[in-house]
Amino acid sequence: MKLLITGGAGFIGSAVVRQAIAAGHSVVNVDALTYAACLDNVAEVEASDSYHFVNADIRDRTTLDEVFSDHKPDLVMHLAAESHVDRSIDGPATFIDTNVMGTFHMLEAARTYWVNAGKPEGFRFHHISTDEVYGALGDTGQFTETTPYDPRSPYSASKASSDHLVRAWYETYGLPVLITNCSNNYGPYQFPEKLIPVVILKALAGEPIPVYGEGKNVRDWLYVEDHADALLTVAKQGKLGRTYNIGGENEAQNIEIVQSICSLLDQKRPGEKPYKDQITYVTDRPGHDLRYSIDPSRIREELGWKPSLTLQQGLNLTVQWYLDNEQWWRSLQNREGVGRRLGVKA
Ligand code: NAD
């Protein structure tokens, strides 16, 4: 298949690009190379004849039309977005622009291409979203595909809006769409502003390891390579117009994650003191959702997909990857906002 992947220089998009090329697909990667992008993430496929990169903004409809007519994709996987909740608190405007208006332009460019091509049978538009659209859970319960939307942060509200647009394009215009809502991802190539890389890098630097609030927030952690595999499964086999929730079946409190990383570092790169001595509780994120948890029954039962790694296995691989790839993360540390606490201005 010919895949048009947006956001393929980011964390999850690059994992999808690498897996798609390895599976024999051809890929056009459309990315505006924002602060969160890194072309090194796709260095291993750069030389492939099946890979093309286009530096374009999803808000630029003219360029999107050219990309569609030049590359004639069979499948669109739309991952480009502003993705960091803390940044959305400080500056929501870009989140609305890119996540809402960018998705609108993607839908219109895809629809125009699909209609002009005679509505080819196999064409699909797969929109990648988050479980944060469902709001927060208490100590029990899980999100299903029918849980009502209840987004709380500018980030999750912008993603919820984009999901609604995608559904509307299916209902109104018949555009063949798929939507996935996934839980928190982690793994290699995650930009060093998200919890797991921040903890690893602060620990290695001998700096305080910040834990928001009491560290009791629960997330359902999904290893990025498992997620990319799930996305390609849904893209190929999912039922049109349908939503699939993708979870890691690995719930943990933030403090448990931080302690596990400290223990792994104690084994792999022992220091004078245990790394957990650097743990420092800081003011909580405004509106911090307590718990997210995904009911994975639909993707498991309909498509036979389940995550391959436990949280401990995934954390072990991730910590080792950051230890082995210091050059990658050092090159990103001078980017705007990195290493600084964001999202406390509410
Ligand atoms: P990321 O921030 O690592 O990467 C986003 C990519 O999109 C970057 O390469 C960036 O340059 C590109 N981009 C941003 N604005 C753009 C624009 N206007 N035009 C073109 N490209 C643009 O994000 P990620 O963590 O890889 O997330 C990918 C997708 O998955 C997002 O849609 C996000 O909402 C969703 N998601 C992420 C997680 C997670 O845990 N990371 C969880 C659920 C859903």
Side-chain angles (χ1 to χ4, degrees):
M1 279 195 295
K2 190 156 213 179
L3 276 55
L4 190 169
I5 298 177
T6 70
F11 168 49
I12 302 170
S14 65
V16 179
V17 169
R18 295 189 303 268
Q19 283 194 20
I21 295 283
H25 300 298
S26 75
V27 169
V28 52
N29 175 6
V30 175
D31 198 296
L33 301 182
T34 70
Y35 82 92
C38 182
L39 282 173
D40 289 347
N41 301 5
V42 283
E44 71 183 55
V45 300
E46 222 170 43
S48 165
D49 290 341
S50 307
Y51 175 74
H52 298 275
F53 175 70
V54 182
N55 184 345
D57 196 305
I58 56 165
R59 294 165 292 183
D60 174 358
R61 174 68 198 281
T62 309
T63 304
L64 290 182
D65 284 342
E66 284 167 15
V67 171
F68 273 92
S69 70
D70 288 352
H71 293 276
K72 302 184 176 33
D74 305 306
L75 167 67
V76 178
M77 297 180 79
H78 175 40
L79 294 101
E82 288 292 335
S83 70
H84 190 38
V85 177
D86 286 343
R87 287 185 191 254
S88 84
I89 295 168
D90 290 346
T94 337
F95 285 72
I96 306 306
D97 268 2
T98 285
N99 300 358
V100 184
M101 292 308 295
T103 300
F104 162 70
H105 290 303
M106 280 298 298
L107 285 165
E108 279 296 80
R111 181 168 76 93
T112 304
Y113 161 72
W114 174 67
V115 169
N116 290 343
K119 303 191 176 177
E121 184 76 10
F123 182 78
R124 289 167 166 226
F125 184 102
H126 178 178
H127 176 64
I128 284 75
S129 190
T130 169
D131 61 355
E132 300 189 30
V133 299
Y134 298 123
L137 293 164
D139 291 335
T140 57
Q142 290 197 303
F143 298 134
T144 71
E145 288 79 358
T146 56
T147 302
Y149 274 32
D150 185 21
R152 311 296 183 91
S153 70
Y155 165 69
S156 54
S158 70
K159 292 297 291 188
S161 309
S162 66
D163 295 7
H164 290 319
L165 290 177
V166 175
R167 270 189 205 103
W169 261 241
Y170 175 72
E171 297 293 342
T172 307
Y173 304 110
L175 187 71
V177 308
L178 293 152
I179 298 177
T180 49
N181 295 81
C182 69
S183 56
N184 279 48
N185 282 226
Y186 71 104
Y189 299 104
Q190 187 164 31
F191 193 77
E193 64 181 356
K194 304 275 170 69
L195 178 69
I196 288 176
V198 164
V199 171
I200 299 170
L201 303 191
K202 291 283 184 194
L204 291 174
E207 292 173 16
I209 300 170
V211 174
Y212 292 178
E214 296 176 1
K216 298 264 171 67
N217 303 71
V218 174
R219 300 292 181 259
D220 176 3
W221 292 92
L222 174 62
Y223 191 65
V224 66
E225 295 292 340
D226 273 343
H227 184 206
D229 178 52
L231 292 178
L232 288 164
T233 303
V234 172
K236 282 182 281 186
Q237 299 166 34
K239 194 167 161 241
L240 293 182
R242 206 141 167 84
T243 291
Y244 294 87
N245 284 350
I246 308 172
E249 298 179 42
N250 277 313
E251 273 185 57
Q253 289 186 340
N254 286 350
I255 188 64
E256 293 169 335
I257 294 282
V258 175
Q259 283 163 347
S260 295
I261 293 170
C262 288
S263 306
L264 284 164
L265 285 171
D266 287 337
Q267 293 159 30
K268 292 173 186 289
R269 179 133 342 148
E272 281 172 20
K273 289 197 251 167
Y275 286 99
K276 70 174 167 35
D277 289 2
Q278 290 165 233
I279 294 175
T280 310
Y281 292 91
V282 298
T283 330
D284 208 353
R285 167 190 282 164
H288 202 175
D289 292 338
L290 178 66
R291 179 170 162 265
Y292 303 141
S293 175
I294 291 236
D295 174 349
S297 311
R298 179 176 286 179
I299 189 166
R300 196 183 257 267
E301 284 160 23
E302 283 186 20
L303 307 182
W305 184 88
K306 61 179 173 37
S308 72
L309 295 185
T310 65
L311 183 56
Q312 269 314 311
Q313 289 169 325
L315 280 179
N316 187 36
L317 289 175
T318 305
V319 169
Q320 192 59 52
W321 188 87
Y322 279 86
L323 288 173
D324 294 342
N325 289 277
E326 185 166 341
Q327 205 186 345
W328 180 85
W329 51 262
R330 285 230 181 266
S331 72
L332 301 175
Q333 283 189 312
N334 58 0
R335 297 218 179 157
E336 191 271 319
V338 175
R340 200 155 51 79
R341 175 81 198 269
L342 302 169
V344 280
K345 280 202 295 209

